[in-house]
Amino acid sequence: MSRSTLLPARIPFRALMIPLALAALAACESEVAAPAEETFEEGVLTIDASSPVSFGYVSLTGGGALPSPADPGGSTAWDMAFRRFSVRLNGGVAGPGSVSAVSLGNNAGLTADQVAALTPEDGEAAFAAVTAADIPAGGFVEDALAPETGPSWFRFDRQSGSIMANPGAAWKLREGSGRGYGVIRMVEIAMQGERPVGATIQFRRHDPGGSLGAPESLALDLTRGPVFVSLSNGIVRDPAGCGWDVATSPEFTIQVNEACGAGTFPLDPTDDFTALARADDAPDYAGFLSTIAGAFPATVGDAQGAFWYSIRQNNRMWPTYNVYFVRVGAEVYKVQLFDYYNATGDSGHPSVRFQRLR
């Protein structure tokens, strides 16, 4: 074979450019005829929510975690907030935003054993299966006051093996019949075996038109049944009528005199009970001992919740892989919490995946 056969034939430059131009034109026409689909925000975050006091804040619209706002109650920069297993939305009584949510409840019908058997792959598949077509026409709710079912005002002390009061939990209180306002908390519980025989409530009264007074304490004898209390008049012997505001019983319950207008609003753990200036400024007062909750339940073990606790009696959180729709203004996101532990196994670090559907 001669060397000349190894060389390419000479092609005129103009002839070479014609097919290239046609290809470029065809590509342009293709782009016009079939535009690329819109790319919506999506992401995966692991949030440090390990503090029992402070929240970790997230902006879905911004696609990431945020520094803690100086005034979360007055800020619209955040969409969701996480503290341990609690989830808050910036709307309703929890914030000034317009964030609301609804649970798809895709795994709400599972038993505890079935939840324990779920795998991370099951969670990914459940999240991927949810599309914009699944967004309901209604049912979105902002965070509101719900009954405290924990309850948070006492805790089990492992060292002593007994029930103890939790002064870190406190409530603003609207007294019955318009008498005034106050803040209350339980500071001591006296136990006899497994039954409480006494309790001490600490409170500060806020007279109408005045300010919060100094802390006062009231010891309650629970040996003969429930004790009814008025912040302005102390222990009330006759529970009939509107003379009392709250009642404590040996069955570990706190009752609020809803019939006479008494109500509670939970203080945030970051609020200083002794330094609080007002009790009459809560966004709402519920006729029960209250907590803040919405589409994300305030407790673990709820069928609609993100986590179940200690299914295998091992004091661990188990993700349910339930999917939620979170509406931020006109945008709707699908959100799923899929883990409660970080890479080193520390609790209180929920992992969240989200994607904007609309």
Side-chain angles (χ1 to χ4, degrees):
M1 182 180 293
S2 67
R3 183 181 176 186
S4 61
T5 61
L6 299 176
L7 298 176
R10 290 182 176 273
I11 302 174
F13 180 75
R14 181 178 297 174
L16 179 64
M17 291 302 294
I18 289 173
L20 293 176
L22 291 175
L25 179 60
C28 290
E29 289 176 345
S30 174
E31 289 176 3
V32 172
E37 293 184 6
E38 182 179 1
T39 301
F40 287 162
E41 296 93 334
E42 60 181 304
V44 175
L45 301 171
T46 297
I47 302 135
D48 184 356
S50 56
S51 170
V53 175
S54 302
F55 279 94
Y57 294 88
V58 167
S59 170
L60 295 179
T61 53
L66 297 173
S68 296
D71 178 21
S75 171
T76 58
W78 61 278
D79 300 322
M80 302 182 70
F82 301 82
R83 182 173 62 206
R84 304 301 294 178
F85 58 82
S86 297
V87 181
R88 292 275 177 87
L89 302 179
N90 194 345
V93 299
S98 58
V99 183
S100 58
V102 62
S103 173
L104 180 63
N106 49 294
N107 285 333
L110 299 186
T111 65
D113 286 339
Q114 289 172 324
V115 169
L118 293 173
T119 66
E121 291 74 22
D122 292 327
E124 292 177 10
F127 184 79
V130 177
T131 69
D134 298 309
I135 299 174
F140 284 83
V141 294
E142 295 181 329
D143 279 359
L145 295 182
E148 168 67 72
T149 59
S152 61
W153 54 272
F154 65 81
R155 62 185 177 83
F156 179 75
D157 183 64
R158 293 182 181 177
Q159 186 172 0
S160 66
S162 183
I163 299 295
M164 300 185 66
N166 177 24
W171 289 262
K172 293 183 178 181
L173 174 72
R174 181 178 62 201
E175 298 178 47
S177 300
R179 285 187 292 269
Y181 295 83
V183 289
I184 60 170
R185 64 179 177 179
M186 190 75 71
V187 294
E188 187 177 351
I189 298 175
M191 300 292 295
Q192 190 175 81
E194 298 182 354
R195 184 177 177 84
V197 293
T200 300
I201 290 180
Q202 189 176 58
F203 65 93
R204 298 175 62 199
R205 281 209 72 225
H206 187 163
D207 288 319
S211 59
L212 272 173
E216 301 179 55
S217 295
L218 189 62
L220 312 178
D221 180 1
L222 301 177
T223 58
R224 289 183 284 182
V227 178
F228 298 82
V229 174
S230 164
L231 295 196
S232 58
N233 299 313
I235 296 174
V236 177
R237 301 301 178 186
D238 182 9
C242 296
W244 60 280
D245 304 313
V246 294
T248 303
S249 81
E251 284 72 38
F252 289 102
T253 63
I254 292 183
Q255 183 181 352
V256 178
N257 197 348
E258 180 180 14
C260 295
T264 69
F265 182 86
L267 265 66
D268 195 84
T270 56
D271 293 326
D272 187 338
F273 184 90
T274 59
L276 202 67
R278 301 181 63 181
D280 62 347
D281 58 347
D284 196 8
Y285 296 86
F288 41 77
L289 198 67
S290 61
T291 188
I292 296 176
F296 292 86
T299 61
V300 292
D302 191 299
Q304 299 287 341
F307 298 106
W308 278 23
Y309 178 65
S310 202
I311 294 175
R312 295 286 187 251
Q313 286 73 51
N314 57 358
N315 299 322
R316 288 186 63 83
M317 292 288 195
W318 300 75
T320 63
Y321 299 117
N322 280 326
V323 178
Y324 304 82
F325 296 110
V326 178
R327 185 168 59 194
V328 184
E331 298 178 353
V332 177
Y333 295 78
K334 60 176 178 178
V335 175
Q336 184 191 65
L337 281 70
F338 62 91
D339 204 348
Y340 189 69
Y341 303 90
N342 63 10
T344 58
D346 299 319
S347 66
H349 292 75
S351 291
V352 183
R353 57 172 65 100
F354 63 93
Q355 181 179 16
R356 183 161 72 89
L357 298 178
R358 190 172 67 195

